[in-house]
Amino acid sequence: MLLFNETPEEMGKRTDPAQADAYWGGWTAYMGAIAQSGAMVSGNGLQPPDVSTTIRVENGKRHVVDGPFTDTKEILGGYVILDVAYLDGALEWAARAPCVSAGSVEIRPVMPPPPAPTN
Amino acid sequence: MVNDARRIAAHHAELAARDSYGRLLSILAARTGDIAGAEDALAEALAAAVAQWPRDGAPANPIAWLLTVARRSIGHAAGRRRTAEAAAGAVRLLQDEREAAVEAPFGDQRLALMFVCAHPAIEIEAQAPLMLQTVLGLDAARIAASFLVSSATMGQRLVRAKRKIRDAGIAFAIPEPAEARTRIGGVLAAVYAAYGTAWEDVTGADDKLAGLTSEAIWLARLLGDLLPDDPEVMGLLSLMLHCESRRAARRDADGRYVPLHRQDTARWSREMVREAEALLRRASQHAQPGRFQTEAAIQSLHAHQRLTGERFTAPLAGLYDMLASFAPTTGVLVARAVAHAENGDHAAGLAQLYAIAGAGAYQPWWAAQARICWLAGDEGAAERAAQTAAGLSNDPSVRRFLLDGGFREVPAAS
């Protein structure tokens, strides 16, 4: 899984008329190239944190709050699940992400499914 | 000004360290064939120097001092590993110390080390990194980042290669002239891989390895010192200097990618262009053409096109054919297809491009397709290919250039 983290400035380009075209153009081309290579399993862009909601349960009591749980320098902007054999293949795709120079890309192996119950 | 002077001094110190590191490591490893062991011993000796020299003053012959201390610790380690050989080791060590005391200047084993690093028995991906680490003393993390693999992968690759050298008993020697001629190609290819290719004539060069260009040029100069009469060595250095001469012009004030045909040639390093041209002339007097002389000639023609405004599309297509016969790599075949299309033969360019197997995720292939389709008048296909090329690029300004239709530009006869 590639987790795309963007700086607030980078995410702000989504709605800035002067920069939105270039921003979305870059992401469209990038996602298209992954799909075309056959490595794409699934993926989504995420709406910004100002429309996020966080829930926690403490002592049996639910707390629902607006916004993300913590303020960070980088915001999770989206993710893709890739089908590649090794870390280096994932690194190659991660290095091409538009946000890699305006944020970061975290690469995490997806866990294998639990073994099927035998009975 | 002061900062500049300091920077230059620091740079010289770094070069000196680089120079003696490779020299020392190659001398140490040549005896045992154990690069990893030699690295450890050299690291210990350098640590000892850092601790003692400031206190007791630097020795009259620092290299001899480091060599002696490192050899002693190799002797200890070897003794710990192989007690049976300890006596012989000690005798050899005494011998070495006597030699080191009188030996000045030192024999240079670095060429032998470069041949070892580029030995056909070493996996190809490890050759350039191994050379950068052993001859220049670069650390694995920095090398890994340049080659875009994880530190762990690079570390394993280097460890495996060193083990192979030791266990397979790869000889630390400069091969016989006949064999050296066939094997020098591997050494040059490894140095070039360290430089990183930038196919500037295909719109969409990926400057992935930009960080190691000066190191690679340093290696090529070292090769030129060690093999002063080899025309391919001259060709490689000429090629790199041509590419390097354009560094300042390759990015605009905002750091955006500037393709060759748009570069401000006033920002090229004339000194490097002159040196590159002189090297190429000297190489051609040997009348032994080869891959790197051909690549240098191609870059030379590109430079002349820009500086004189003449178009040399026909000779360029011919040179690419010649290059493809020497080194039919994917990068070369892609560039050759573009050269034929630029020369007006769109059908041949397309046919050559589609004949290249397994280039599906190779960014320059898609950038080339965009350019050739556009030259052939297929606007739709050109745009689709440019879209994919942009998605495959890891350089934001190259992405911009492609999405903004940069593939349509006729190289200006400025």
Side-chain angles (χ1 to χ4, degrees):
Chain A
M1 182 185 223
L2 304 187
L3 297 152
F4 302 120
N5 302 310
E6 297 177 292
T7 59
E9 299 75 46
E10 180 67 9
M11 199 173 261
K13 292 179 182 174
R14 296 179 176 191
T15 49
D16 173 355
Q19 310 195 72
D21 273 0
Y23 176 93
W24 292 116
W27 278 104
T28 306
Y30 174 65
M31 294 294 187
I34 300 179
Q36 188 147 27
S37 79
M40 174 78 82
V41 177
S42 64
N44 283 296
L46 298 173
Q47 296 209 11
D50 56 359
V51 294
S52 90
T53 308
T54 305
I55 177 168
R56 274 180 303 144
V57 175
E58 271 179 5
N59 308 324
K61 204 164 168 229
R62 286 182 184 171
H63 298 269
V64 176
V65 289
D66 266 358
F69 179 55
T70 47
D71 258 351
T72 49
K73 283 196 186 57
E74 293 181 354
I75 310 155
L76 181 64
Y79 69 93
V80 297
I81 307 278
L82 297 178
D83 180 10
V84 289
Y86 299 104
L87 171 62
D88 295 331
L91 256 177
E92 221 163 284
W93 283 115
R96 294 168 171 149
C99 66
V100 78
S101 46
S104 63
V105 180
E106 185 183 348
I107 302 163
R108 289 247 211 130
V110 175
M111 284 174 127
T118 48
N119 45 10
Chain B
M1 286 327 279
V2 172
N3 267 346
D4 262 1
R6 206 173 289 155
R7 204 168 41 77
I8 289 165
H11 181 65
H12 280 299
E14 193 188 334
L15 285 182
R18 197 179 278 172
D19 196 51
S20 53
Y21 184 91
R23 234 172 239 268
L24 288 163
L25 185 71
S26 57
I27 292 170
L28 291 166
R31 180 160 297 273
T32 57
D34 180 359
I35 292 180
E39 281 173 332
D40 292 344
L42 186 52
E44 273 181 51
L46 288 164
V50 168
Q52 288 178 35
W53 293 359
R55 197 183 57 217
D56 313 335
N61 191 338
I63 292 211
W65 189 95
L66 287 167
L67 203 52
T68 305
V69 172
R71 275 179 172 156
R72 209 172 284 150
S73 75
I74 284 187
H76 292 322
R80 282 195 296 273
R81 268 201 312 268
R82 301 185 300 265
T83 42
E85 285 181 37
V91 171
R92 203 166 50 214
L93 203 67
L94 290 168
Q95 175 75 21
D96 285 345
E97 285 194 38
R98 269 197 301 276
E99 280 170 18
V102 296
E103 201 181 349
F106 289 93
D108 201 329
Q109 292 282 351
R110 284 174 299 176
L111 184 59
L113 179 60
M114 287 166 101
F115 272 107
V116 169
C117 292
H119 193 281
I122 305 295
E123 62 170 335
I124 199 99
E125 292 80 16
Q127 295 182 1
L130 193 60
M131 214 179 266
L132 288 162
Q133 193 187 42
T134 58
V135 181
L136 302 184
L138 293 184
D139 68 84
R142 188 168 160 216
I143 299 170
S146 283
F147 284 86
L148 197 63
V149 298
S150 60
S151 292
T153 300
M154 185 55 79
Q156 282 166 351
R157 208 175 270 177
L158 290 164
V159 167
R160 249 203 324 271
K162 286 173 206 166
R163 199 179 299 139
K164 172 107 193 205
I165 290 166
R166 191 188 63 201
D167 297 347
I170 292 173
F172 262 80
I174 297 163
E176 295 301 311
E179 198 198 340
R181 258 195 297 283
T182 56
R183 289 220 0 233
I184 189 72
V187 175
L188 295 170
V191 174
Y192 191 44
Y195 183 85
T197 42
W199 289 107
E200 295 177 272
D201 45 333
V202 176
T203 46
D206 250 334
D207 257 353
K208 237 192 319 212
L209 309 181
L212 296 177
T213 53
S214 66
E215 283 83 354
I217 287 175
W218 194 91
L219 280 173
R221 287 196 187 282
L222 174 63
L223 268 179
D225 293 342
L226 300 170
L227 294 167
D229 288 325
D230 189 304
E232 275 295 89
V233 173
M234 296 172 210
L236 174 66
L237 186 54
S238 171
L239 164 66
M240 288 185 185
L241 288 169
H242 264 305
C243 293
E244 204 57 19
S245 70
R246 302 169 198 157
R247 174 161 302 280
R250 252 210 296 271
R251 303 271 152 186
D252 67 9
D254 302 326
R256 277 190 305 252
Y257 162 75
V258 184
L260 180 60
H261 63 267
R262 270 204 233 156
Q263 286 172 18
D264 174 4
T265 55
R267 304 190 64 195
W268 287 3
S269 160
R270 288 304 153 98
E271 198 185 331
M272 284 192 204
V273 173
R274 264 197 302 275
E275 190 188 356
E277 293 288 283
L279 280 160
L280 192 54
R281 270 196 306 277
R282 240 180 59 215
S284 66
Q285 285 160 3
H286 289 260
Q288 296 166 346
R291 172 190 170 181
F292 290 106
Q293 291 169 80
T294 310
E295 296 212 32
I298 287 168
Q299 291 309 324
S300 168
L301 274 188
H302 278 306
H304 280 283
Q305 274 194 160
R306 284 302 324 277
L307 294 169
T308 65
E310 277 181 81
R311 297 292 307 279
F312 298 112
T313 54
L316 274 168
L319 279 174
Y320 274 113
D321 286 343
M322 192 162 143
L323 182 56
S325 71
F326 286 125
T329 62
T330 304
V332 167
L333 295 174
V334 165
R336 171 182 168 224
V338 175
H340 281 277
E342 296 285 1
N343 194 36
D345 199 346
H346 310 143
L350 272 180
Q352 286 171 12
L353 191 72
Y354 292 136
I356 301 167
Y362 183 62
Q363 195 268 350
W365 189 89
W366 291 95
Q369 193 188 16
R371 177 70 183 158
I372 298 174
C373 286
W374 186 82
L375 286 168
D378 189 345
E379 183 88 22
E383 273 189 24
R384 284 191 299 277
Q387 176 91 358
T388 301
L392 287 168
S393 170
N394 52 21
D395 182 325
S397 53
V398 170
R399 196 179 302 137
R400 244 342 338 111
F401 174 84
L402 287 159
L403 292 176
D404 291 346
F407 56 88
R408 293 187 184 86
E409 292 178 21
V410 180
S414 48

